[in-house]
Amino acid sequence: MELGLEGKTALIVGASRGIGRAAAITLAQYGAQITAVARSKDALTSLITGLGGEAKGHLGIAKDLMPAEGPAEILRQLQEMGRDIDIVIHCLGGTLGVKEPFCDPEAWRRVFRLNLDIAVELNRYLIPLMQKRKWGRALHVSSIAATLTRGSLAYCAAKAALNAYARNLGCTVASDGVVISALMPGAVRFDDNPWDKLSKEKPEQAAAYLEERMAIKRFAKPEEISDFIAFMCSEKAEFATGAVVPIDGGSW
């Protein structure tokens, strides 16, 4: 299928591993030029080299976006490079180990910053530019935890807020050719992530989870999510603005 991504510039936040890395590879295969952001310089170098490097228009920026100045520094670098962004894919997320429902306010704020605030800060600059060009895509990797409400309360609440944000913003900019959406993956396994660790350290518990809570009876691979991301960032997805789409293998 022709997705119309040839020559588009895509900023992928959280691109060093898992869904973010898979998204970078998939969009590059469709002809997009990738700007990948993550904390690990080595992982970014490996990714960008594998995509063909700067000769193919791909760039990596090693930056921790959790500090207050992080997003502004990334935006400043993009301006200095003269890099207009057609597509932004927000792949940052996680519990940060915050499992206590009555966690202290600072822990709560850190979870919300990782899962919501960084995307809001980047979008605040990037999406108005897309509106001026009358084309753009902003895809937010949420989680089925937003609706199943299992696990970390702070994480579930942050992802639910991200869904509401994407839905509302999508409606706000719909007439300007900008498609805002969110995907809600279920359990995705990749090297050294929590599901991978559980499968290796407590295989019986992982098997019970798949049997009892996953209709498909297996974990997702990052590439299965990145294929959906590519479609939602494509010319084919114009009518999907504000969409919040579960892709969870039948989780309950």
Side-chain angles (χ1 to χ4, degrees), residues 59-78:
L59 301 171
I61 301 176
K63 177 67 66 177
D64 183 356
L65 297 179
M66 286 293 282
E69 68 278 5
E73 290 176 355
I74 287 294
L75 295 172
R76 186 160 49 250
Q77 287 182 258
L78 293 173

Side-chain angles (χ1 to χ4, degrees), residues 22-61:
I25 293 170
T26 300
L27 264 70
Q29 289 171 344
Y30 280 104
Q33 294 182 330
I34 305 301
T35 301
V37 178
R39 291 178 300 175
S40 172
K41 184 176 180 178
D42 290 344
L44 283 177
T45 299
S46 172
L47 170 63
I48 297 302
T49 300
L51 297 180
E54 293 187 16
K56 293 288 185 70
H58 306 305
L59 301 171
I61 301 176

Side-chain angles (χ1 to χ4, degrees), residues 143-175:
S143 170
I144 198 64
T147 57
L148 294 183
T149 60
R150 291 197 185 101
S152 167
L153 174 57
Y155 176 74
C156 292
K159 290 303 190 185
L162 182 65
N163 289 354
Y165 167 80
R167 175 65 177 165
N168 195 308
L169 185 60
C171 294
T172 301
V173 302
S175 62

Side-chain angles (χ1 to χ4, degrees), residues 53-102:
E54 293 187 16
K56 293 288 185 70
H58 306 305
L59 301 171
I61 301 176
K63 177 67 66 177
D64 183 356
L65 297 179
M66 286 293 282
E69 68 278 5
E73 290 176 355
I74 287 294
L75 295 172
R76 186 160 49 250
Q77 287 182 258
L78 293 173
Q79 286 179 305
E80 291 171 354
M81 293 185 296
R83 189 92 161 178
D84 292 330
I85 299 300
D86 301 306
I87 298 164
V88 57
I89 301 171
H90 299 285
C91 296
L92 290 181
T95 68
L96 296 178
V98 179
K99 303 294 180 66
E100 169 58 48
F102 302 108

